[in-house]
Amino acid sequence: MQLPIYLDYQATTPVDQRVLDAMIPYFTSLYGNAASRNHEFGWKAEEAVDSAREACASLIGASAKEIVFTSGSTEAINLAMKGVAEMYADKGKHIVTALNEHKAVLDTAKHLERKGCEVTYLKPGKDGRITREMVESALRDDTILVSIMWANNEIGVVNDVRGIGALCHERDVLFFTDGTQAVGKIPVDVEADHVDLMCFSGHKMYGPKGVGAFYVRRRKPRVRLVAQMDGGGHERGMRSGTLNVPGIVGLGKAAELCAAELESEIARATGLRDRLEEKITSRLDQVHFNGSREHRLPGCLNLSFPYVEGESLLMGLSGIAVSSGSACTSASLEPSHVLRAMDVGDDLAHSSIRFGIGRFTTEEEVDYVADRIVEVVERLREMSPLYEMVKEGIDLNSVEWTGH
Amino acid sequence: MAYSDKVLDHYNNPRNVGSLDKGSDKVGTGVVGAPECGDVMKLQIEVEGDTIVDAKFKTFGCGSAIASSSLATEWIKGKTIDEALAINNTQIVAELALPPVKIHCSVLAEDAIKAAVSDFKAKRAEEASKHTEGAQQ
């Protein structure tokens, strides 16, 4: 086993060697522009793009014509939300999303509010999940779009996508889901799940950074969008700009591998995730689980270690890459908005750690990380005034703190 | 975020972690910060005459908060109360090379010293008033 150990697969993933091997020729020998229609450099590039489009479509149960290549999920989210809001402005101006969405969705929603849209931000349940009933209660006659992520990036909770999708189709409202954390990790079927628009990113599924796919439904209903990038009319006019052929080839290969290994990877990641949790909670008292036990991603575990601050915990875990919901680790100095939305409490949010397990994680690594966590949490609790107070029988909620 | 060597040193080898008897007349206790803000410091001093003969801390907070309080206990030991009160957060910032986002940690450490001293002074004043009352009776 080698240090550092990477347990941050929700942030990004390494490129699989098989993906890289597929990409290499498209940098140096097959470098044609996929839009060059009159020579074989262009034809080869176009062929490669077509085959990647098929692989992406097949992974999510779509047809190849419904796939638009983008630079990644943030771009696709902007295109989906702004594109729908502009195209369907005559129909309505109301959008439904949730407080625990990714910042790319929340910031785009805020932008649309400034442009005159009205946005309802649903509050998830204590388990962090958004259900069909929650969405239903927010729908209005002028609702044009529901934007609810498939799986949450911080806590791994899988939302009731099928229920929400069915509801949207019954009510004639477009349904966009950010599938970045779900696609390639759990079964995704845009037909069975009634999805109209969905995005995913290469780098979350062992493909390269800077490339993603955007699914736009072509029938029942046919979704139309106002393009957000003007130019040469690439990607059926929805996303102008020369195609990133090597990146797209990599994304296609990544999609193919995810599809082939989906079942075995789900079983493996789930086993490692549960092993990690068991090895930690069997040896430490008062560990708080964040999220939903029933509806969650195989490779994500979010735990809070009360009375220990997250950044100090990360500091003790040198050589181990995990992330924390603590304010001290974010640029904004605010604790995780995802944990706040589900009423975890700011104190527990500051103490949270996300463990991300993926394709290259080993049992040995999981065991090592569990040992280190136990050791560091015990050490920091020994120097925690809060832990001492609790041991003395003081209720921390009854203390008058001097906030700053 | 990269940590300075001094912050790492205090984090890995914190000085004076622990607790003093908060019931003792000689001990002043300061608890500052709040769990929901992500840092709470408890700093205690033991005073003989006007001199701080011992100091202990416990901190819930990031590495810089732990380092700031560890450094504070190190600095105040052996100092008089007035000398301890003269310690300024900017001295802690300079010593630990704290980046701007961590300045609040040094402020908290300064506050903790002041809170411990004021707790001690309150105890001493109470003690003095008891003696005066006792003398009058």
Side-chain angles (χ1 to χ4, degrees):
Chain A
M1 190 187 67
Q2 271 196 326
L3 292 179
I5 291 172
Y6 189 75
L7 278 195
D8 204 11
Y9 278 82
Q10 279 78 43
T12 193
T13 61
V15 172
D16 191 298
Q17 185 64 47
R18 295 167 289 179
V19 169
L20 183 63
D21 291 345
M23 291 171 69
I24 295 283
Y26 293 90
F27 285 105
T28 49
S29 51
L30 302 169
Y31 48 79
N33 186 327
S36 296
R37 291 281 158 79
N38 48 0
H39 53 66
E40 63 182 83
F41 289 88
W43 303 331
K44 284 265 166 56
E46 194 185 14
E47 252 170 56
V49 167
D50 285 347
S51 127
R53 210 184 290 281
E54 284 288 347
C56 289
S58 158
L59 179 63
I60 61 169
S63 80
K65 284 183 176 165
E66 294 172 310
I67 300 294
V68 172
F69 289 115
T70 67
S71 64
S73 284
T74 294
E75 182 193 333
I77 288 165
N78 274 265
L79 174 53
M81 297 178 71
K82 293 175 185 173
V84 164
E86 287 174 30
M87 181 60 80
Y88 297 90
D90 292 345
K91 198 180 162 216
K93 57 177 179 182
H94 182 235
I95 294 170
V96 177
T97 186
L99 289 170
N100 58 353
E101 286 287 313
H102 192 274
K103 290 284 183 193
V105 167
L106 295 175
D107 267 17
T108 306
K110 289 271 177 278
H111 170 93
L112 290 170
E113 278 186 285
R114 288 192 296 273
K115 298 281 180 185
C117 285
E118 289 173 19
V119 180
T120 300
Y121 297 92
L122 295 172
K123 187 176 167 60
K126 285 240 172 223
D127 61 357
R129 196 159 184 256
I130 299 289
T131 63
R132 174 188 165 119
E133 291 68 35
M134 292 174 190
V135 174
E136 190 159 23
S137 68
L139 289 183
R140 309 192 320 207
D141 289 342
D142 64 341
T143 306
I144 52 170
L145 179 69
V146 169
S147 175
I148 298 292
M149 69 200 330
W150 203 302
N152 185 276
N153 52 306
E154 287 189 31
I155 51 174
V157 169
V158 176
N159 287 319
D160 179 16
V161 170
R162 185 165 295 189
I164 295 167
L167 168 73
C168 289
H169 277 182
E170 284 161 27
R171 300 283 291 267
D172 201 17
V173 173
L174 291 178
F175 176 41
F176 164 58
T177 183
D178 169 4
T180 310
Q181 296 292 343
V183 173
K185 314 289 170 55
I186 55 174
V188 164
D189 182 338
V190 291
E191 285 307 324
D193 295 313
H194 309 283
V195 172
D196 296 320
L197 296 150
M198 180 175 73
C199 62
F200 53 102
S201 259
H203 77 104
K204 306 285 193 192
M205 46 193 274
Y206 312 96
K209 293 169 180 64
V211 65
F214 179 38
Y215 161 77
V216 184
R217 180 176 282 279
R218 294 247 299 174
R219 45 191 296 276
K220 295 184 183 175
R222 181 184 183 86
V223 180
R224 293 180 306 144
L225 295 170
V226 173
Q228 302 295 308
M229 186 86 79
D230 296 315
H234 306 76
E235 298 298 272
R236 292 186 290 118
M238 279 191 257
R239 203 276 188 180
S240 288
T242 299
L243 294 182
N244 167 11
V245 177
I248 289 167
V249 167
L251 176 60
K253 185 66 187 177
E256 184 193 313
L257 294 173
C258 282
E261 297 169 6
L262 190 65
E263 293 305 321
S264 58
E265 272 305 295
I266 289 175
R268 213 182 67 85
T270 304
L272 289 176
R273 178 198 70 194
D274 293 346
R275 182 183 180 94
L276 178 64
E277 185 182 358
E278 201 277 328
K279 288 210 168 258
I280 291 172
T281 54
S282 63
R283 287 182 286 169
L284 282 179
D285 62 330
Q286 303 190 55
V287 176
H288 183 91
F289 173 87
N290 297 312
S292 161
R293 291 210 173 270
E294 199 183 340
H295 307 282
R296 53 172 167 157
L297 291 175
C300 186
L301 178 66
N302 191 310
L303 299 175
S304 285
F305 299 92
Y307 325 121
V308 171
E309 195 276 329
E311 190 201 319
S312 66
L313 181 49
L314 294 191
M315 227 174 136
L317 297 173
S318 55
I320 298 174
V322 291
S323 75
S324 169
S326 161
C328 287
T329 61
S330 76
S332 64
L333 289 178
E334 289 280 318
S336 153
H337 71 284
V338 172
L339 297 176
R340 281 185 143 185
M342 56 199 267
D343 289 335
V344 159
D346 282 1
D347 50 342
L348 283 177
H350 282 294
S351 304
S352 73
I353 300 284
R354 178 187 69 187
F355 303 90
I357 287 162
R359 188 176 286 171
F360 305 105
T361 308
T362 65
E363 202 169 271
E364 197 184 9
E365 288 177 330
V366 161
D367 291 356
Y368 175 80
V369 170
D371 288 348
R372 287 282 301 278
I373 286 276
V374 171
E375 170 200 320
V376 178
V377 169
E378 279 175 349
R379 183 171 95 84
L380 291 174
R381 279 185 174 172
E382 274 310 300
M383 67 164 91
S384 166
L386 305 179
Y387 193 61
E388 181 182 68
M389 287 163 129
V390 168
K391 291 278 153 182
E392 285 170 4
I394 297 169
D395 174 9
L396 296 181
N397 293 318
S398 71
V399 178
E400 275 190 42
W401 302 103
T402 58
H404 60 284
Chain B
M1 195 182 336
Y3 301 98
S4 72
D5 290 343
K6 281 182 178 165
V7 168
L8 282 172
D9 180 40
H10 278 280
Y11 172 83
N12 289 318
N13 312 291
R15 331 292 199 251
N16 310 307
V17 174
S19 297
L20 299 169
D21 175 13
K22 66 182 172 213
S24 159
D25 293 345
K26 291 181 183 174
V27 172
T29 302
V31 179
V32 295
E36 56 269 24
C37 300
D39 28 34
V40 175
M41 282 180 195
K42 184 188 80 166
L43 190 145
Q44 294 183 301
I45 52 172
E46 185 178 337
V47 184
E48 275 177 17
D50 270 335
T51 304
I52 297 171
V53 294
D54 200 2
K56 296 277 184 202
F57 85 94
K58 283 200 173 190
T59 289
F60 160 81
C62 64
S64 303
I66 290 170
S68 296
S69 37
S70 169
L71 177 68
T73 57
E74 207 176 25
W75 275 356
I76 60 180
K77 264 169 98 167
K79 285 207 165 64
T80 66
I81 285 177
D82 287 340
E83 283 167 345
L85 285 176
I87 291 172
N88 188 287
N89 83 289
T90 54
Q91 294 165 279
I92 297 173
V93 171
E95 174 69 16
L96 296 175
L98 296 180
V101 294
K102 297 295 185 187
I103 288 174
H104 69 277
C105 299
S106 67
V107 174
L108 209 57
E110 184 191 321
D111 290 350
I113 298 173
K114 296 199 157 68
V117 167
S118 92
D119 179 58
F120 171 75
K121 282 185 172 171
K123 272 187 185 172
R124 185 176 267 186
E126 199 181 323
E127 202 54 31
S129 70
K130 269 191 212 157
H131 283 299
T132 334
E133 281 168 26
Q136 281 169 347
Q137 278 168 2

